[in-house]
Amino acid sequence: MHRWALLWTLILLLKEAQSWGFRNGIFHNSIWLEQAAGVYHRESRKGRYQLTYKEAKAVCKYEGGTLATYDQLEAARQIGFHVCAAGWFDRGRVGYPIVKAGTNCGFGRVGIVDYGYRLNKSEKWDVYCYNPNSKECGGILTEQQKIIQSPGFPEEYQDELICYWHIRVRLGQRIRLHFLELDVEEDTSCLADYLEVYDSYDDVSGFAGRFCGDNLPDDIISTGNVMTLKFLSDASVTAGGFQLQYVAFDPSAGPQNHTHSFPAVPLH
Ligand SMILES: *[C@@H]1O[C@H](CO)[C@@H](O)[C@H](O)[C@H]1NC(C)=O
Ligand SMILES: *[C@@H]1O[C@H](CO)[C@@H](O)[C@H](O)[C@H]1NC(C)=O
């Protein structure tokens, strides 16, 4: 009896591994991945919770996108999209995607925290947009390694950008960020344009550094399997931008190994 149950479970697991489900600690489903790939979060330049419904639509449209649907937001959540900020999405609904239960975000639950369809469209929130064709300004990255660069790199980036990259690798893995190029408008506290790195699901906790200017920072290594990058530019002065590479590694392989095995990347 037990043996049959075990075998059955094994068959189910194998089937699942081939089609959809958790693989490598990441939820895989081709439809979901397709839908999810274009979902991103935006806030107003003025800060959090400053967009009316009309302004929220304009923010998405400005970048060639639309408001995300509930299904797209949920699809993104399934592959690890976690943002602790309520935003407008399709048809005047407000909510946010939660992957990891926390006390200060999502009321200890996971899922789309749904505030429902808002009757008052003058309320101010952030926004969730969808644009599968514009992946340069942010996105959800689940590859084992990838190069991330500012939009238009190495040409000048635009004014008034806010891009978020959410890196999610296998459970148990860690992430090493290695800077290849940095050319971001410089001021003493990096207030104008900057790249921020968070050792976390979002840009609320786990602040690891804010960078501008042209000195290459040291490599940054995550404590877990997620990292968030935020790139922001203000209304004036731009520069070449940044280019960095992340590589997922298995901490059990020992610290020397990932240092030495860091792949060389061609610059362009
Ligand atoms: C709608 O929301 C705005 C912004 O929060 C508020 O100023 C306004 O009074 C609200 N209108 C109504 C009818 O509740
Ligand atoms: C590094 O990892 C490789 C496999 O990828 C292994 O063969 C090698 O022994 C490791 N070296 C060290 C120093 O841990």
Side-chain angles (χ1 to χ4, degrees), residues 57-196:
K57 278 200 283 193
V59 164
C60 297
K61 201 174 168 205
Y62 177 75
E63 300 174 28
T66 56
L67 290 169
T69 65
Y70 184 93
D71 289 348
Q72 286 162 349
L73 197 58
E74 172 59 12
R77 196 192 67 81
Q78 293 279 0
I79 62 163
F81 190 53
H82 173 109
V83 183
C84 193
W88 293 102
F89 51 98
D90 195 32
R91 298 191 290 146
R93 213 161 164 177
V94 168
Y96 56 99
I98 293 297
V99 169
K100 193 179 150 192
T103 45
N104 56 353
C105 198
F107 312 101
R109 286 182 290 119
V110 298
I112 304 291
V113 178
D114 191 355
Y115 293 2
Y117 296 97
R118 310 310 294 173
L119 292 175
N120 183 352
K121 302 283 193 285
S122 304
E123 287 176 1
K124 292 180 175 178
W125 305 99
D126 290 354
V127 63
Y128 290 95
C129 307
Y130 175 69
N131 182 359
N133 304 314
S134 160
K135 290 179 191 147
E136 254 200 308
C137 181
I140 305 160
L141 311 173
T142 58
E143 293 91 339
Q144 286 287 288
Q145 61 178 71
K146 196 165 176 97
I147 291 178
I148 299 174
Q149 55 193 33
S150 48
F153 182 90
E155 306 299 326
E156 298 214 329
Y157 55 81
Q158 298 160 338
D159 287 330
E160 312 226 314
L161 285 171
I162 306 177
C163 310
Y164 290 89
W165 288 267
H166 303 268
I167 307 172
R168 317 275 182 252
V169 297
R170 292 176 203 156
L171 282 173
Q173 285 191 316
R174 293 167 72 183
I175 301 157
R176 184 189 192 90
L177 281 192
H178 176 66
F179 286 82
L180 301 165
E181 296 260 338
L182 186 68
D183 177 18
V184 172
E185 180 190 356
E186 179 152 25
D187 66 70
T188 40
S189 333
C190 299
L191 290 174
D193 298 354
Y194 58 80
L195 172 68
E196 277 181 346

Side-chain angles (χ1 to χ4, degrees), residues 26-47:
I26 293 167
F27 205 89
H28 285 262
N29 169 307
S30 61
I31 301 162
W32 275 342
L33 273 175
E34 234 166 76
Q35 291 198 344
V39 174
Y40 52 96
H41 163 258
R42 291 281 182 272
E43 64 186 28
S44 161
R45 285 288 319 185
K46 290 177 271 173

